[in-house]
Every structure is written in C-alpha cells, then in structure tokens.
Amino acid sequence: MSRTVDRAATLRAPEANRSNALHAGAWWLWALGLAVAASRTTNPLLLGLLVGVAGYVVAARRTDAPWARSYGAFIKLGLAVIVIRLLFSVFLGSPVPGERVLVTLPEVPLPDWAAGVRIGGRVTAEQLVFALYDGAKLATLLICVGAANALASPARLLKSLPGALYEAGVAVVVAMTFAPNMVADVGRLRTARRLRGRPTGGVRAVLQIGLPVLEGALERSVAVAASMDARGYGRTAEVPRAVRHTTTALTLGGLLGVCAGSYALLAAEGAGYGLPLLGAGVAAALAGLRLGGRRSVRTRYRPDRWGVRAWLVAGSGAAVAALMIRAGAVDPTALHPGVVPLVAPELPLWPAAGALLGLLPAFVAPVPALSPAALPAQRTRTQRPKTQRTKTQRKTAS
C-alpha cells in the first residue's frame, strides 16, 4: 500500500519553483500545435473543443503574474474578429452563393471597373454561416496564441534565447520594461500633485508632469547602460570567417524554410511537403544559431532546463497538430462542413479525441504556487498581555 502511495506521489505534478519551472518554449510549442490544428479545420465543434482545451489548461496552470491576465483580452479580440467578419459579409457580400435570403439591403451602384465588388444587396444564410466558420477559425488561432502569452513568462522566454539573439533579447526586455515604468512614474507624480492640492489636468499640469517623467526615464536609461557595460554587454569573441559565412547561410536558409513550411501548413493543400520543409528549416536555423552563439561570451544564471515534462507538453501540441493534419488528408469533409447546401456540422470522433491530447499539460506541468496575496486571509486573535489591565480594572483602581 505504501509503494502505491509513493508511486502516486511521484506521478503527481509537483509545485512549481525556480528549479522545476516548465520551459517557456514548451508552452509556445504546445500552443502553436493547437493553432496548427485549428488552421486545418473550419468545423465549429472542433474549433470550440480546441478553445475549451486551451482554456482549461490556462485555468489549471496560469500564475497570478500581471502578464498572465492577457488571456481574457485575447478571447475578447477573437469575439471581435468574428463580429467584424460577419459585418463584412453582410455589407460587402460574399462569393458563396445561397438560396435562403434573410434580408435584402439597399445596394450601392458601383462603376464598371469595380466589377465583382458590391456593397449591400442580398444577405443569405449560407454566406453568414461561411463567414462565421471563417471568423471562428481566426479567433481560435488568436486564442491559442493568447494561451501561450498567459502561460509562458516573457522574461524567461527571452532568457532562453540562443547566444546569437542575445542582443535582440536584451533590447526587447528593455523595451518591455520602459513603458510600464513610465506609466508608474506618471501615476506617482499625479498622486503627489493631488496630495499637494495642485491640479492634475490641463496643458500646464501635463508639462509639469512630463519633464520629471522624461528626466527619470533618462536617468534610468543611463543606469541600464552603465550596468550593461559593467556586465560586458556587446563584447564578442573572434571566430573564423568560414564559420561566419556558414552561420549566415544556415540561419537565412532555415528562416526561409520555416516561412515556406508554415505557409504550406496553413494552406489548404500543403501538408504533404509543409511538415518536412518546416522540420528542415527549423534544423538549419537551430544549427545557424548554435554556430552564431560562439561569438557570445556571456554566461547564464540558473538556465531553464528542458526536462521530461517540457517534452510531454510540447509533444502533446505536436500530436494534436499531426492528428488533425492526418484527419484532413483522410476525411476532409468532416473537418470542413459544407454550407451549400447548408448542413449541420458533425463532430468527428478521432480528430476530437486527438484534440483532447492537448489537455496533457494540465496534469503534467508543475502546479503554480499561489502568492501570499491570493491566499485566503486568516483572522487571528491577538492575546492581551498579562501586564495590560482591562478597562474595568482601571476604573476600579481610579
């Protein structure tokens, strides 16, 4: 019985800390796998299942950091995309023919050179359903990206960049921290002026607040530059010319392969050659970045390690994408329900089961630790010191 309990304890996901935190790249690979799966289908049931999978994992493994609250904004952005796509279909028409006319809008006459474009006219149920499927597909892509933003720490992701991209990563970190610090300075100065009884609105107040903010930003920039120079930022090691040329060729060729492979995967008929091309491009780009890292003489403090749980998280997203691509090659009608004639979409079983593999990070990723502010407040009674006299004793003494 004790051995069974010990095995269950070892299989249970541990509490996250600095030593066992999941690699930020694993979250991005998982989310990109779900996004690739969403790009291969317009079935609203499968898209809703992918959104549900992403939402469940975010709810189970999201921390209370400020950047982890962006998932709701991506959901709102996805809903806005669907509404905009429907409005475009209503007012600008659609190439999808239809027989079920819902309403007829006044049509704006256009010149002959604008043939094929119309504003207004008939609005059919088929074109609205087609627009809904198309908008839901794009909204699901945005929500998957939002899940990666809510789960992966941007600072830890930039920290894991290869040595060849170190300078770009530092520039991004400085840019990401500059705007929040400036907003905090503005709020602090406005609060100070309000406490002193001075106005916080108007052109004069803006000028009086803007000068200290710019001065603080300049001082902060000088301090960051001094600290970077003290840490040896920008110093590179000498490498042979052949290695530099090989690095450039591998990096550019790999990036071109990644772009071409990604486009093929997102296209309707490109899964056959898109995946090998993407794999070759990623391998070439990684080799180029590996060679380019020889010029960097920096060291890393507590580097994030890619462990077994990171492989499971990234592999679950890749499995969802591979199964959805395979389903599109075997039975494309199940992933793309027809709108002419208008039929109700059906949920294909094994693509839906493949999408459920995306739930694996909710069980294998380390459980985020709650901050003290998120814990429920516990009221404790303060014991009165023995030497302190009660109010009745003081009255009696007087």
Side-chain angles (χ1 to χ4, degrees), residues 83-95:
V83 172
I84 293 174
R85 184 65 181 86
L86 289 174
L87 291 178
F88 278 5
S89 177
V90 169
F91 292 103
L92 301 181
S94 175

Side-chain angles (χ1 to χ4, degrees), residues 204-215:
R204 185 177 179 181
V206 171
L207 293 176
Q208 293 178 354
I209 292 175
L211 291 177
V213 169
L214 294 177
E215 182 181 358

Side-chain angles (χ1 to χ4, degrees), residues 44 64 73-74 85 109 120 136 142 144 156 205 216 234 236 251 265 269 275 280 302 304 345 361 382 392:
D64 55 351
F74 278 90
R85 184 65 181 86
L142 292 174
C144 292
R156 299 182 74 92
T236 58
T251 304
L265 288 177
E269 298 177 356
L275 195 59
R302 291 183 180 178
D304 293 338
T382 57
T392 306

Side-chain angles (χ1 to χ4, degrees), residues 247-260:
T247 301
T248 303
L250 287 175
T251 304
L252 292 179
L255 292 178
L256 290 176
V258 169
C259 293

Side-chain angles (χ1 to χ4, degrees), residues 20-99:
N20 65 351
L22 194 68
H23 199 284
W27 286 121
W28 273 100
L29 291 177
W30 167 79
L32 290 178
L34 296 185
V36 171
S39 67
R40 308 302 300 179
T41 179
T42 56
N43 192 322
L45 300 179
L46 288 177
L47 294 176
L49 184 60
L50 291 173
V51 172
V53 167
Y56 181 81
V57 174
V58 170
R61 291 298 182 264
R62 181 175 58 176
T63 63
D64 55 351
W67 44 264
R69 304 170 187 172
S70 61
Y71 186 68
F74 278 90
I75 292 179
K76 296 178 182 177
L77 182 60
L79 295 176
V81 166
I82 295 177
V83 172
I84 293 174
R85 184 65 181 86
L86 289 174
L87 291 178
F88 278 5
S89 177
V90 169
F91 292 103
L92 301 181
S94 175
V96 177
E99 299 179 354

Side-chain angles (χ1 to χ4, degrees), residues 113-137:
W113 56 267
V117 180
R118 67 179 180 88
I119 301 177
R122 299 192 314 164
V123 179
T124 62
E126 288 83 357
Q127 78 178 58
L128 288 182
V129 172
F130 177 79
L132 179 63
Y133 290 173
D134 199 16
K137 178 180 176 180

Side-chain angles (χ1 to χ4, degrees), residues 328-356:
V330 174
D331 189 10
T333 57
L335 302 186
H336 302 278
V339 295
V340 180
L342 194 61
V343 294
E346 297 181 357
L347 182 64
L349 295 181
W350 68 275
L356 293 178

